[in-house]
Amino acid sequence: MGNKQTIFTAQQLDAYQVGYGSHFLLFYRYRDLAPQLVPLDYTNQPDVKLPYELIGSMPELKDNPFRQRIAEVFSEDGEGNMTLDDFLDMFSVLSEMAPRDLKAYYAFKIYDFNNDDFICKSDLEKTLNKLTRNELTEDEVKMVCEKVIDEADLDNDGRLSLEDFQNMINRAPDFLSTFHIRI
Amino acid sequence: MPGENLITPENDTDIELDFADVEEFQKNHEKKRKKSSRRNDGETTKREKGRRKRSSKSTQRIREESQSRTDGGETGRRRRGKAEHEVKQDEGNEGKWEQTRAKTAKSKKNIKNEEKKLEVEMNGEAQGRSEKGKKKLECAKNEGEKRNGDKHKEIDKACKKKKKHKEIVEISSEPETSEEDEEEEEEAINDGELRPELLSPEELEKLKEAVDEKKKLIQSLRGKPWSMKKKLITLRDSQQFVEKYEGALGKGKGRKLYAYKVMMTKKWMKFQRDFENFKTACIPWEMKIKEIESKFDLEWSIFIIFFINQSFYRYIYSFYRTCFFFFCFFKQALVGKPYGSIPRKTVPRAEEASAMDFAVLWDFGGYAQYSVLFYGYYNNQRAIGWFKFRMPLSYFLVGVGTVAYSYMVVIRTMARNANESGIGDDNSFNFSWKMFTSWDYLIGNPETADNKFASITTSFKEAILEEQESRKDDTIHLTRFLRVLANFLVLCCLAGSGYLIYFVVRRSQKFALEGLENHTWWERNEVNGVRKSLLQLVVVSFNLPDLKYGQSHFFAKQRWLLPGLPKGNIWHMCNKRVIIIIIIIFMTFIFFIQQEFVRLIISDTMTTYITLLIGDFLRAVLVRFLNHCWCWDLEAGFPSYSEFDVSGNVLGLIFNQGMIWMGAFYAPCLPALNLLRLHVSMYLQCWAVMCCNVPQERVFKASGSNNFYMAMLLVILFLSTLPAIYTIVTIPPSFDCGPFSGKNRMFDVIQETLESDFPAWFSKVFSYASNPGLVLPFILLMILAIYYLQSTSKSYKEANVELKKKLQMQNEENKKKNKQAALKAQMDLEEAKKSASEAMEPQRNNNASVQRQEANDEENHNRSRKMHHGCNPSARADDREPHLPVRGPGPRTYHNGNHGNPRYLPGYHQQNEPSRMYRVPSMQRH
């Protein structure tokens, strides 16, 4: 990887290191998705976006039931088309080094399907159906959603706000180990 | 930074372009300023104070600022009139902004440079010169004719203020943002960089604060939920800020030091980057593990962690290696007597003929017996070489030290694990956790994903069933029966395996007496084979509780087994049994075989590989290729592919480690050998796992099992040190016992050293200390201390549980209160509606109108607040307000009884929310 300096300027590297904190494996991963689209020279910040179809077909994401949400949340246009920055963003949040609060924030966004800043019942139903591939009956789904809201909703407005979610997720023993992708 | 303010050739060309423009612009504002300077000054400082608190948010407004900057010259005119919310974040302006920003920066510089022609060298060197005079000149230029005769100090101050003011005029169109604030500071500091001693203490303080804040921001940047673009921009700005003005904080000397520091940090950053790359290049299995992790579940990664990062691998081995090589091996190799110099180190005549035969070498006889591998290689003189190196003593100490160190490491790891897993004990968020944390984002393999989906469904169904608590009587009977059966089976295993080990070891001792050559390979390696198969048995019983626990596919379908089983009970019970079995097997094992560790390890490795090849690889090949011509589906049916068996592998590792600990004292190179073995077998296993194993259908509970294995490791460690200590203390070392040959007991080396190398009083003290009269009370004291600590920890635990309960109660109570408040608010709302409708009628009710007036006021207030925070992404807490059902036209009464105000939870101050969210990550990182 000796030719890195030609891809990014030293200044860019410094900045990325602080902002992202990792080596440049990710750039190559990004480029490998579409070598014909992504230039090898990022010093003048070209405007390149990869469509969701390419992002979603990465081996790291393709079996994830929430892949579309992930791509939507991290892409700037909200439709899953990603620039390099978005891409770095995504994997920096999902990396092991990201702090818990950051992860919780983005997890909240991912599970908030209708983007209204609350996880409401419909979001919960969607999440559950994705997790179980629609194998639970409607009654069961309803019951689980009610239980979740009952457990985690602290202010009783019938939906989960970010604080509710953080409060809940901060005590979860498995959250950090499951909410990460290695690249 | 020094040098940055100097005029470069590029800047010079820019001056021509920009300067006229800017100067005109400046003149315009000069006039304006004169009109309103006093008022402005007062206001500025006030605002500064007020906004100090908000300045952590300031960077979020950089984009807004960008807008304002693009507006160029007219900004000054509209700076007061414009409300902040008009400035929306505009993506399109990003690029433009950069250009203009650069331009403004340059032009600013240029103005200054023009103004201060006298002080071309303004950094550092200029300090010694007549600063005040310069100042005067500058001020005179700026102020024109007005203040020539005034005192210097006054001029300075006024000058600075004016500068600040000018900066506002130039740059900001948003009087409400704190960005402008920063700009003022920048300017103030800019002056300060030239003349730091002229800054007042408060200003210095402020400056320090600002720099510290920026630094903090840079450090915590990674933990902020912003897009990468924004992060990069923020980063660049704050870095520039810090770079420019940090130096101004120190005087003369400090600045040089600072420049040096900056240079070093840059170098260090680059080094770190390179090192990071180097590190990733150095871990060849990184990608492999990732692959495996995505194919298998969490448990595999635990195994891998266990395997690679495991404490004994990382710490103990490195500790041992360094100590051993430094103290013993090199000294021996350099100054010790070589092979053949003394009879102890020579192969006996009778055996010489066969000493190089492979079979003999394979059993570590012949020449191998006298190699570096064993302790016979080392000298037994008290001191060797010209620097009198104490060979036996250091050998002894390294051995004992390693054991002590391994204890420490294992216990420390356990404590850390316990700390980590200590959070999630309560079950209050059972469903939520299942919902939001059960999917493992690492999964990248369709089969694993299928399994995971199935297991998640099962666990949900289980939880639902548990929730409904539909227990039936017959299942309880069944459970009891299963429990009894499991216990009985386990006991049988225990007795049987104990006897088997006893029998086999006896037999092998008999064989050894008769001479190994007369027996077949199996008979020689019988012990190991039996041990292996017993281990397999243990593993099966280990997995049994999982099966019964009902997380497997098979049992998941047969729901009748499930509902009655209380979670974890059987699992715990069986765990204990399993531990007992393992301990007993191991104990019988190690007390019968005290020698031949090396051979044992080699044959152990071989059997591992062979079972791997036959059991996994061959099976997979057969299943795959015979499947085409077989009467049932081999892949889905009976033999199928083998699963990777985690517990078996980890147990094998632990056993292996135990043997290493035992043998290390006699064969000092054993750990090195084992390291090699671990590496090879890791690659082999990685390969086997990827090509012939299928992911497990059972899903383990990952948390918690980690410490279980560690506990087992600790037990094994203890057991394996027992025989070693026994031999050290009681058995006189034999003729070829290396460094201890000729001694009565091994620990005599210590006594020897005490007597000959230390002053007489020391050995006297030592002998007193080892007096039973002193040792016994000491032991008693230790026991008491342990008892005390244990009881205190118990009480702490109880207090913890109590606190947890209290917290839960409080939560419930809060919920109830909230509910009541919500109801009340609803009722009030209705009432208000009623009264409002009454108010609509012609006869006007005074009260109602007042109420409505207030309501309107409040709404307006809210709206303005929302606008105020509108373009701030972190101010989501405020955005929520309109959605809340309690927000109605009649909030007055609801405010009166606002104990249960739904928006403000105890401990959740929304005002603080954004800053709280951002601060925490930075703290975590350190």
Side-chain angles (χ1 to χ4, degrees):
Chain A
M1 294 180 220
N3 57 349
K4 214 168 291 136
Q5 301 300 335
T6 58
I7 303 170
F8 298 97
T9 60
Q11 205 183 359
Q12 273 172 316
L13 277 177
D14 281 338
Y16 276 127
Q17 183 157 38
V18 177
Y20 173 63
S22 178
H23 48 90
F24 268 76
L25 220 75
L26 273 177
F27 171 73
Y28 293 99
R29 285 306 306 275
Y30 183 72
R31 194 172 175 274
D32 283 348
L33 291 176
Q36 71 281 5
L37 284 180
V38 184
L40 257 175
D41 177 25
Y42 254 75
T43 42
N44 49 4
Q45 294 169 336
D47 184 28
V48 180
K49 266 187 189 176
L50 293 191
Y52 166 69
E53 288 74 35
L54 282 174
I55 301 285
S57 62
M58 284 180 74
E60 281 83 5
L61 287 177
K62 73 177 190 326
D63 292 302
N64 196 320
F66 305 110
R67 61 182 176 281
Q68 188 159 6
R69 273 307 292 165
I70 296 174
E72 278 170 13
V73 164
F74 286 103
S75 62
E76 214 165 341
D77 58 359
E79 284 166 17
N81 307 320
M82 293 193 144
T83 61
L84 176 66
D85 280 350
D86 296 337
F87 190 79
L88 289 179
D89 240 0
M90 175 165 77
F91 283 106
S92 74
V93 169
L94 289 169
S95 76
E96 281 160 316
M97 290 162 307
R100 200 183 190 112
D101 277 20
L102 186 69
K103 281 186 177 236
Y105 176 82
Y106 278 103
F108 179 81
K109 278 193 143 189
I110 286 170
Y111 295 122
D112 175 22
F113 282 84
N114 51 11
N115 290 329
D116 64 349
D117 291 338
F118 286 96
I119 294 183
C120 50
K121 269 203 176 139
S122 66
D123 295 329
L124 288 176
E125 276 165 23
K126 264 184 198 163
T127 311
L128 192 59
N129 283 333
K130 284 201 184 246
L131 270 180
T132 58
R133 287 191 175 161
N134 299 319
E135 273 184 37
L136 294 183
T137 63
E138 259 179 51
D139 284 346
E140 282 170 329
V141 170
K142 216 175 145 196
M143 194 203 138
V144 170
C145 294
E146 271 166 18
K147 279 300 290 180
V148 169
I149 289 198
D150 189 42
E151 280 169 4
D153 181 23
L154 291 177
D155 51 6
N156 254 324
D157 56 354
R159 51 197 178 165
L160 304 187
S161 61
L162 180 61
E163 294 105 75
D164 294 337
F165 187 79
Q166 279 177 332
N167 177 41
M168 181 266 296
I169 217 80
N170 279 341
R171 299 190 203 172
D174 291 338
F175 176 63
L176 281 187
S177 56
T178 55
F179 195 73
H180 95 254
I181 293 180
R182 228 195 250 249
I183 196 138
Chain B
M1 276 292 288
E4 233 173 60
N5 289 342
L6 291 174
I7 306 175
T8 62
E10 304 160 42
N11 285 355
D12 269 331
T13 56
D14 276 332
I15 293 172
E16 251 91 70
L17 295 174
D18 292 335
F19 188 66
D21 203 271
V22 172
E23 199 162 45
E24 193 187 9
F25 166 60
Q26 190 192 344
K27 269 179 193 167
N28 275 337
H29 295 302
E30 198 83 7
K31 282 172 197 165
K32 265 194 183 177
R33 184 200 49 76
K34 273 177 193 168
K35 278 180 198 164
S36 59
S37 67
R38 268 168 216 288
R39 194 161 43 107
N40 276 345
D41 289 344
E43 258 177 44
T44 321
T45 42
K46 249 190 224 165
R47 263 188 270 135
E48 230 172 65
K49 272 178 193 166
R51 265 178 251 118
R52 172 66 40 217
K53 282 165 200 158
R54 276 190 283 137
S55 64
S56 65
K57 286 183 196 169
S58 65
T59 41
Q60 291 164 3
R61 306 201 175 160
I62 277 171
R63 287 189 187 176
E64 295 152 20
E65 188 209 358
S66 77
Q67 173 94 15
S68 71
R69 288 193 186 206
T70 49
D71 288 343
E74 47 170 45
T75 45
R77 249 165 282 149
R78 60 170 205 183
R79 90 192 143 87
R80 281 196 177 275
K82 298 288 175 184
E84 169 201 3
H85 62 265
E86 274 183 23
V87 187
K88 291 280 174 197
Q89 298 180 8
D90 195 341
E91 303 296 339
N93 272 342
E94 293 286 355
K96 216 174 154 192
W97 167 66
E98 271 183 43
Q99 291 172 6
T100 22
R101 188 187 152 84
K103 242 189 180 177
T104 22
K106 270 181 191 168
S107 58
K108 257 191 283 168
K109 252 185 244 163
N110 295 340
I111 302 167
K112 244 176 269 156
N113 286 330
E114 284 295 307
E115 281 176 354
K116 308 164 192 171
K117 278 241 156 122
L118 286 173
E119 26 171 319
V120 181
E121 301 154 278
M122 45 180 117
N123 306 302
E125 303 101 292
Q127 278 198 14
R129 286 198 264 159
S130 60
E131 298 227 328
K132 282 181 182 175
K134 253 186 280 163
K135 188 89 195 177
K136 209 163 138 191
L137 266 175
E138 186 194 332
C139 289
K141 242 181 196 174
N142 286 339
E143 292 289 84
E145 62 295 334
K146 199 179 166 191
R147 301 188 183 176
N148 267 337
D150 284 345
K151 281 180 186 173
H152 290 315
K153 261 198 176 176
E154 270 181 34
I155 292 174
D156 290 343
K157 267 185 192 168
C159 189
K160 234 176 278 158
K161 276 177 187 169
K162 187 190 61 190
K163 280 218 154 200
K164 274 182 205 167
H165 169 62
K166 195 173 67 195
E167 189 64 26
I168 304 168
V169 172
E170 259 181 32
I171 278 160
S172 77
S173 69
E174 330 146 76
E176 288 306 310
T177 57
S178 53
E179 188 59 39
E180 161 201 319
D181 201 27
E182 257 163 43
E183 290 298 332
E184 289 165 22
E185 253 163 33
E186 268 183 48
E187 196 56 26
I189 296 154
N190 217 351
D191 280 349
E193 196 180 19
L194 310 175
R195 291 162 297 274
E197 64 273 15
L198 290 178
L199 279 174
S200 69
E202 302 134 51
E203 275 168 323
L204 256 177
E205 205 53 40
K206 265 182 209 163
L207 178 57
K208 256 180 204 161
E209 248 174 59
V211 169
D212 280 350
E213 232 158 58
K214 289 278 182 193
K215 272 183 178 167
K216 252 185 223 162
L217 182 72
I218 290 173
Q219 275 180 338
S220 64
L221 200 61
R222 214 188 289 169
K224 308 226 163 179
W226 301 342
S227 74
M228 187 59 79
K229 209 182 228 171
K230 196 171 163 192
K231 274 186 193 171
L232 291 182
I233 290 168
T234 316
L235 174 74
R236 194 174 40 215
D237 281 7
S238 5
Q239 265 179 346
Q240 272 173 3
F241 180 83
V242 171
E243 247 174 50
K244 257 188 193 163
Y245 305 120
E246 201 187 28
L249 286 175
K251 294 170 190 176
K253 238 191 225 169
R255 204 172 305 168
K256 258 181 211 163
L257 195 75
Y258 173 71
Y260 179 71
K261 231 167 75 186
V262 166
M263 203 183 69
M264 286 317 284
T265 353
K266 275 193 175 159
K267 286 242 164 82
W268 175 240
M269 285 258 289
K270 194 176 176 310
F271 171 75
Q272 266 182 327
R273 208 166 51 222
D274 291 345
F275 188 68
E276 197 69 28
N277 288 331
F278 176 72
K279 250 190 353 202
T280 44
C282 274
I283 309 176
W285 54 69
E286 185 87 343
M287 283 314 282
K288 228 170 205 158
I289 290 167
K290 204 205 109 204
E291 260 170 48
I292 291 167
E293 266 182 345
S294 68
K295 180 172 174 186
F296 295 87
D297 226 331
L298 262 181
E299 191 75 3
W300 224 99
S301 62
I302 283 180
F303 173 64
I304 284 291
I305 289 163
F306 200 90
F307 201 99
I308 293 167
N309 295 348
Q310 228 292 325
S311 43
F312 58 71
Y313 181 91
R314 218 198 239 163
Y315 301 110
I316 300 176
Y317 280 176
S318 49
F319 174 80
Y320 183 79
R321 262 177 324 193
T322 30
C323 281
F324 179 73
F325 276 99
F326 187 71
F327 287 123
C328 302
F329 180 73
F330 284 132
K331 306 285 157 62
Q332 175 65 33
L334 286 176
V335 290
K337 287 181 179 162
Y339 167 80
S341 55
I342 50 172
R344 187 167 60 76
K345 289 190 179 185
T346 321
V347 177
R349 279 269 157 77
E351 291 173 23
E352 214 162 77
S354 64
M356 270 313 270
D357 288 358
F358 179 72
V360 176
L361 283 180
W362 181 246
D363 286 331
F364 293 96
Y367 286 112
Q369 199 182 340
Y370 301 93
S371 65
V372 224
L373 221 51
F374 298 100
Y375 64 168
Y377 176 77
Y378 299 92
N379 280 14
N380 63 343
Q381 290 105 320
R382 208 176 65 76
I384 57 171
W386 53 268
F387 46 58
K388 303 273 179 241
F389 184 72
R390 269 74 172 158
M391 187 67 187
L393 178 73
S394 56
Y395 189 97
F396 185 81
L397 287 183
V398 165
V400 172
T402 310
V403 169
Y405 185 71
S406 3
Y407 270 114
M408 218 175 70
V409 168
V410 172
I411 286 175
R412 212 175 49 190
T413 317
M414 274 178 79
R416 209 179 39 221
N417 280 351
N419 262 352
E420 272 171 11
S421 60
I423 337 161
D425 265 354
D426 62 328
N427 228 17
S428 53
F429 291 112
N430 189 12
F431 278 95
S432 317
W433 288 345
K434 277 208 169 72
M435 176 91 86
F436 295 119
T437 65
S438 58
W439 183 262
D440 187 354
Y441 280 63
L442 276 175
I443 291 174
N445 179 288
E447 268 176 73
T448 321
D450 283 346
N451 282 345
K452 192 77 189 177
F453 282 126
S455 83
I456 288 175
T457 313
T458 319
S459 80
F460 266 117
K461 284 197 166 160
E462 224 174 79
I464 290 168
L465 274 177
E466 223 169 72
E467 188 65 30
Q468 286 166 346
E469 288 181 342
S470 58
R471 295 194 179 205
K472 288 168 198 162
D473 286 341
D474 53 330
T475 50
I476 289 176
H477 285 302
L478 190 77
T479 325
R480 275 186 198 149
F481 171 70
L482 279 177
R483 259 185 226 175
V484 171
L485 192 76
N487 279 342
F488 180 71
L489 278 179
V490 162
L491 273 177
C492 284
C493 284
L494 198 77
S497 52
Y499 178 72
L500 200 62
I501 287 273
Y502 175 76
F503 175 75
V504 171
V505 169
R506 264 292 145 85
R507 219 160 84 106
S508 80
Q509 281 177 337
K510 202 179 74 194
F511 290 152
L513 280 181
E514 288 167 8
L516 280 174
E517 303 79 41
N518 311 327
H519 296 279
T520 57
W521 184 84
W522 165 248
E523 275 170 337
R524 268 183 279 160
N525 291 294
E526 196 173 45
V527 179
N528 206 27
V530 167
R531 193 185 61 90
K532 270 257 142 165
S533 44
L534 277 183
L535 208 62
Q536 281 301 312
L537 203 71
V538 168
V539 166
V540 169
S541 63
F542 204 68
N543 288 338
L544 217 59
D546 285 332
L547 288 176
K548 273 184 284 173
Y549 186 19
Q551 284 190 327
S552 84
H553 259 301
F554 177 70
F555 286 97
K557 278 168 198 152
Q558 310 196 328
R559 303 292 309 166
W560 54 270
L561 248 178
L562 273 179
L565 286 184
K567 255 190 190 170
N569 259 358
I570 289 189
W571 164 246
H572 274 300
M573 194 178 66
C574 282
N575 267 355
K576 276 174 197 156
R577 308 272 158 197
V578 167
I579 293 179
I580 294 171
I581 301 178
I582 291 166
I583 290 170
I584 288 186
I585 292 176
F586 195 72
M587 241 153 78
T588 33
F589 183 62
I590 53 180
F591 274 109
F592 282 106
I593 310 168
Q594 292 205 350
Q595 301 290 325
E596 304 178 353
F597 292 106
V598 183
R599 218 185 73 199
L600 214 63
I601 278 163
I602 297 287
S603 69
D604 181 62
T605 315
M606 293 324 276
T607 36
T608 311
Y609 294 164
I610 288 168
T611 46
L612 199 81
L613 281 179
I614 294 176
D616 289 347
F617 184 62
L618 221 64
R619 181 166 150 195
V621 168
L622 284 181
V623 166
R624 168 63 53 84
F625 290 107
L626 285 184
N627 204 19
H628 302 298
C629 48
W630 206 259
C631 36
W632 70 79
D633 190 3
L634 284 174
E635 281 182 349
F638 163 58
S640 84
Y641 299 106
S642 55
E643 285 179 1
F644 181 76
D645 148 42
V646 176
S647 31
N649 271 298
V650 174
L651 281 186
L653 267 179
I654 291 176
F655 264 59
N656 176 41
Q657 188 55 33
M659 273 188 291
I660 299 295
W661 270 321
M662 237 188 324
F665 197 72
Y666 306 100
C669 279
L670 209 57
L673 209 70
N674 200 41
L675 209 65
L676 198 74
R677 186 199 99 103
L678 279 180
H679 261 105
V680 173
S681 65
M682 195 198 76
Y683 278 107
L684 198 72
Q685 267 173 334
C686 280
W687 164 78
V689 150
M690 285 314 282
C691 91
C692 24
N693 285 17
V694 288
Q696 275 163 326
E697 291 189 347
R698 282 186 304 278
V699 177
F700 284 88
K701 266 265 167 270
S703 48
S705 57
N706 228 348
N707 239 2
F708 171 70
Y709 292 132
M710 290 307 289
M712 214 140 78
L713 192 65
L714 190 70
V715 170
I716 298 286
L717 171 59
F718 178 70
L719 286 178
S720 57
T721 47
L722 271 188
I725 290 173
Y726 175 78
T727 46
I728 287 173
V729 176
T730 55
I731 298 177
S734 61
F735 169 65
D736 43 28
C737 250
F740 310 109
S741 124
K743 303 254 173 4
N744 239 354
R745 298 273 186 274
M746 279 187 194
F747 65 88
D748 280 352
V749 286
I750 293 185
Q751 231 162 348
E752 210 181 77
T753 318
L754 277 179
E755 275 164 16
S756 53
D757 289 348
F758 285 93
W761 61 268
F762 195 84
S763 68
K764 223 177 209 172
V765 168
F766 199 77
S767 69
Y768 280 133
S770 60
N771 191 340
L774 218 71
V775 169
L776 277 180
F778 187 68
I779 290 176
L780 210 67
L781 198 74
M782 289 245 279
I783 289 172
L784 282 179
I786 289 172
Y787 177 73
Y788 170 75
L789 285 178
Q790 213 214 341
S791 55
T792 43
S793 79
K794 213 177 190 175
S795 66
Y796 281 145
K797 243 181 210 166
E798 269 166 18
N800 252 351
V801 171
E802 202 77 354
L803 270 178
K804 236 177 218 168
K805 259 186 202 164
K806 247 182 204 170
L807 258 178
Q808 226 160 359
M809 292 265 285
Q810 209 162 12
N811 269 348
E812 303 263 305
E813 220 161 275
N814 277 341
K815 266 189 190 177
K816 262 184 208 161
K817 262 187 192 168
N818 287 339
K819 216 168 235 174
Q820 277 174 357
L823 269 177
K824 211 175 173 187
Q826 191 116 33
M827 272 164 61
D828 288 341
L829 185 88
E830 302 250 301
E831 233 169 72
K833 263 183 191 166
K834 236 186 232 167
S835 62
S837 63
E838 272 168 23
M840 288 293 279
E841 288 168 25
Q843 74 267 40
R844 289 212 160 186
N845 187 341
N846 266 348
N847 241 351
S849 71
V850 168
Q851 204 171 11
R852 207 167 45 166
Q853 180 70 37
E854 274 174 14
N856 280 341
D857 280 351
E858 185 147 340
E859 262 186 348
N860 283 339
H861 173 66
N862 279 331
R863 196 178 296 147
S864 66
R865 254 180 78 193
K866 210 190 140 201
M867 281 168 170
H868 183 73
H869 288 287
C871 24
N872 186 348
S874 68
R876 35 190 323 128
D878 295 274
D879 286 344
R880 300 175 37 189
E881 283 180 355
H883 299 299
L884 280 161
V886 290
R887 184 61 55 179
R892 198 179 146 83
T893 36
Y894 143 70
H895 269 293
N896 283 341
N898 71 357
H899 261 297
N901 186 341
R903 281 187 304 122
Y904 295 98
L905 293 165
Y908 276 93
H909 299 293
Q910 295 196 331
Q911 246 47 349
N912 293 342
E913 178 55 24
S915 62
R916 183 179 68 97
M917 219 177 73
Y918 300 146
R919 284 288 156 77
V920 170
S922 71
M923 280 161 66
Q924 269 186 353
R925 265 168 44 85
H926 297 297

